[in-house]
Amino acid sequence: MTRVPIDLNADLGEGFGRWTLTDDEQLLSVVTSANVACGFHAGDAVTMRRVCELAAARGVRIGAQVSYRDLAGFGRRAMDVPAAELAAEVAYQIGALEVFARAAGARVSYVKPHGALYNRVVRDAEQAAAVVDGVLLADRTLPVLGLPGSRLHEAAAAAGLPVVAEAFGDRAYRADGSLLPRGQEGAVVTDPDEVVERAVSMARFGVVTAHCGSSVAVRARSLCLHGDTPGAVGLARRVRERLEASGVRVEAFA
C-alpha cells in the first residue's frame, strides 16, 4: 500500500530579544519544515541564526515566514502597504533569513506569509502579486506555501513558482474552504483529540468538517502545527504519531 506523504510545518523563532514564545528546539524534533519569523512580526538576528542552526542540524527544511512590518501586533493587524513596498520587504525578509540558513549549511527552501498577510493574499490579488514579486526578487525557484485556491497561489503559479497547499488541524474552516477569522468564536480548535482527528482526516482523506458542520475538501501537502498554543509540543508529537500509525509518510515537501 502506498503511504500518503505529508509535511508538518510550524511557525518558529517567534520571539524578540529576551522574550520567547515558541519551544523551537522541541518542535524541531517533530516537524519537517520550520516557518522562521524574519524580524517583521517576530524574530531577531540572534533568534533567526539559532533556529536555522537547530533546523539544519536536524534536517528540517527552513522556510521564510514573511509578514507585514508589525512587531507590536505580531503581524496580525490589517495593514495597507503599497505593492512596491511590500514586494521589497518580502525580498528583504527572505534575504535576511538566507544569510543565517547558509551559514548553518542549509538554505531557505520555501516562503510562507504570516498572519494578516496570509489571510489578505487569499483574496487580494494585488497584495498577492506583490508577495510573489518579492519572492521572485529573492529567488525565482522558491516554492510558496499557502491556502489552496488562494490568489497567492494563482499569482505564484502564473509566475512559474512552485505552489504547495497547506491545511490547519487547529483552525476552523468555512464551507468555502477558507479559514474562519481569528476574531470569531470557534476560530481556533483547542481540543487536542479533535485537532489530532482533523489532522489525520485531512492528510488521509482530504476532508475536514467546517464550522457550519458541512464537509469541506482540503487537499494539502503540508499541515501546519501552531507553535504558540499551550501544549504545542505534546500536541505536535501526538499528531505525528497518529499520522504515522494511520499510514501517512511524514516528510518535507522541499
Side-chain angles (χ1 to χ4, degrees):
M1 180 180 69
T2 302
R3 291 167 64 86
V4 178
I6 198 76
D7 169 70
L8 295 180
N9 77 76
D11 303 343
L12 301 179
E14 291 185 326
F16 194 80
R18 296 178 62 185
W19 177 74
T20 58
L21 178 63
T22 50
D23 189 340
D24 299 328
E25 188 163 5
Q26 291 300 315
L27 283 167
L28 283 167
S29 69
V30 181
V31 301
T32 46
S33 296
N35 316 317
V36 184
C38 299
F40 272 39
H41 74 279
D44 54 37
V46 172
T47 302
M48 291 162 67
R49 181 180 183 182
R50 177 178 56 82
V51 175
C52 285
E53 289 174 347
L54 290 170
R58 290 162 173 74
V60 175
R61 301 297 185 268
I62 298 169
Q65 187 162 44
V66 299
S67 71
Y68 289 127
R69 188 190 292 270
D70 180 27
L71 277 174
F74 196 59
R76 286 180 175 163
R77 298 185 294 190
M79 303 182 75
D80 290 314
V81 181
E85 182 177 339
L86 179 58
E89 292 189 337
V90 166
Y92 180 95
Q93 292 174 78
I94 297 169
L97 187 64
E98 179 70 10
V99 169
F100 299 118
R102 288 193 177 276
R107 62 181 295 270
V108 172
S109 296
Y110 64 95
V111 178
K112 174 185 172 179
H114 164 82
L117 182 58
Y118 186 99
N119 293 319
R120 181 76 171 265
V121 297
V122 170
R123 292 187 170 86
D124 189 319
E126 182 182 18
Q127 293 280 278
V131 170
V132 169
D133 286 345
V135 177
L136 293 171
L137 278 171
D139 186 335
R140 304 185 70 88
T141 68
L142 287 176
V144 176
L145 179 62
L147 207 65
S150 63
R151 293 291 190 181
L152 176 65
H153 272 188
E154 290 177 4
L161 294 172
V163 296
V164 182
E166 178 180 37
F168 298 82
D170 61 356
R171 288 295 311 278
Y173 280 79
R174 290 167 163 163
D176 64 358
S178 63
L179 298 177
L180 192 68
R182 278 185 176 267
Q184 295 189 26
E185 184 178 355
V188 179
V189 181
T190 58
D191 181 277
D193 292 333
E194 185 176 358
V195 173
V196 172
E197 292 303 323
R198 289 165 67 89
V200 172
S201 178
M202 287 187 285
R204 289 198 63 203
F205 309 112
V207 66
V208 69
T209 300
H211 187 62
C212 64
S214 63
S215 293
V216 181
V218 180
R219 300 289 179 182
R221 178 62 179 83
S222 184
L223 287 176
C224 180
L225 306 173
H226 281 104
D228 60 346
T229 55
V233 174
L235 179 57
R237 289 195 177 115
R238 282 190 59 191
V239 169
R240 177 157 186 165
E241 289 169 0
R242 276 292 306 281
L243 286 171
E244 292 176 333
S246 301
V248 176
R249 186 173 74 253
V250 179
E251 64 179 22
F253 63 81

